[in-house]
Amino acid sequence: MRRLLLALPFALLPLAVAQAHDDHDHDHGTLGAHEHGVAKLNAVLDGNTLELELDSPAMNLIGFEHAASSDADKAKVAAVRQQLEQPLKLFGLAASAGCKEDAQELESPLFGDAVKDDDGDEHEHEHAHTHSDIGAHYQLNCSAPEKLTQLDLAPLFKAFPATQKINVQLIGPNGQKGVETSPAKAMVAF
């Protein structure tokens, strides 16, 4: 899939880390690290196109990070993949915006994908304590994007209760911002 808008330099977008220190979790500002309970979401609204890119430790979504070997583990991975294949059920978008899915891409070593190392090279990990992540990239086309005033992450938090915080980086018609969301603060304004 062509990574049209998300190729934008999100690294330049300052995330509101100050909010993280208002909570009494000991985050220590390790946003880039694999942290259980914390996920990242990049959201870009450009014209009629809404792109969403979710990156989460597998622990938040599946409940484990090891390769699924038992039938129960394989069933759990399949069920989570099926949930992730339905972005319009995970992300609350105004129905009046008329958003329809154009494309999606799901990546995780638990889905049978090769793991990328720090250099971006793909290879299989043989480590017993591999930190597995799940990446989901969605491209939606919205017939009335001006009706998209907010993104509700409550359905995502409800579907995956081990996710306690989602750090959102958003670029929309009103500029760019970083927002920290939680089950109690799940709404992000565009």
Side-chain angles (χ1 to χ4, degrees):
M1 176 192 314
R2 211 169 83 203
R3 290 191 185 253
L4 184 72
L5 300 171
L6 289 174
L8 294 172
F10 275 109
L12 299 177
L13 181 62
L15 187 60
V17 181
Q19 290 179 344
H21 298 294
D22 292 342
D23 300 335
H24 293 293
D25 60 3
H26 298 291
D27 183 315
H28 301 297
T30 56
L31 282 176
H34 174 100
E35 186 178 348
H36 294 174
V38 180
K40 292 181 284 192
L41 176 68
N42 295 328
V44 177
L45 177 59
D46 184 30
N48 288 40
T49 302
L50 173 63
E51 289 203 50
L52 301 167
E53 187 173 56
L54 179 68
D55 184 26
S56 175
M59 184 65 76
N60 298 355
L61 307 182
I62 298 177
F64 58 83
E65 296 186 333
H66 58 271
S69 54
S70 72
D71 288 343
D73 283 356
K74 289 176 184 175
K76 183 72 173 157
V77 169
V80 167
R81 184 174 188 135
Q82 186 175 23
Q83 284 179 290
L84 290 172
E85 289 172 345
Q86 302 175 56
L88 295 172
K89 290 185 178 180
L90 294 176
F91 300 98
L93 304 170
S96 59
C99 295
K100 305 281 184 235
E101 185 180 347
D102 270 352
Q104 73 172 247
E105 182 179 348
L106 302 177
E107 295 179 298
S108 175
L110 298 180
F111 297 153
D113 299 331
V115 180
K116 291 184 181 176
D117 64 16
D118 293 337
D119 298 330
D121 297 327
E122 292 187 5
H123 65 280
E124 297 297 324
H125 276 280
E126 298 297 329
H127 305 264
H129 301 294
T130 299
H131 288 295
S132 296
D133 287 342
I134 294 176
H137 179 226
Y138 308 102
Q139 184 170 313
L140 308 173
N141 187 293
C142 303
S143 59
E146 68 280 0
K147 306 272 186 176
L148 262 186
T149 57
Q150 60 189 18
L151 175 62
D152 184 3
L153 300 180
L156 187 66
F157 281 114
K158 186 175 181 187
F160 304 110
T163 302
Q164 300 149 4
K165 182 168 55 173
I166 301 173
N167 293 315
V168 180
Q169 296 183 57
L170 183 128
I171 297 177
N174 297 319
Q176 56 187 18
K177 62 181 163 183
V179 180
E180 182 180 287
T181 62
S182 65
K185 277 192 325 188
M187 208 65 83
V188 180
F190 275 101

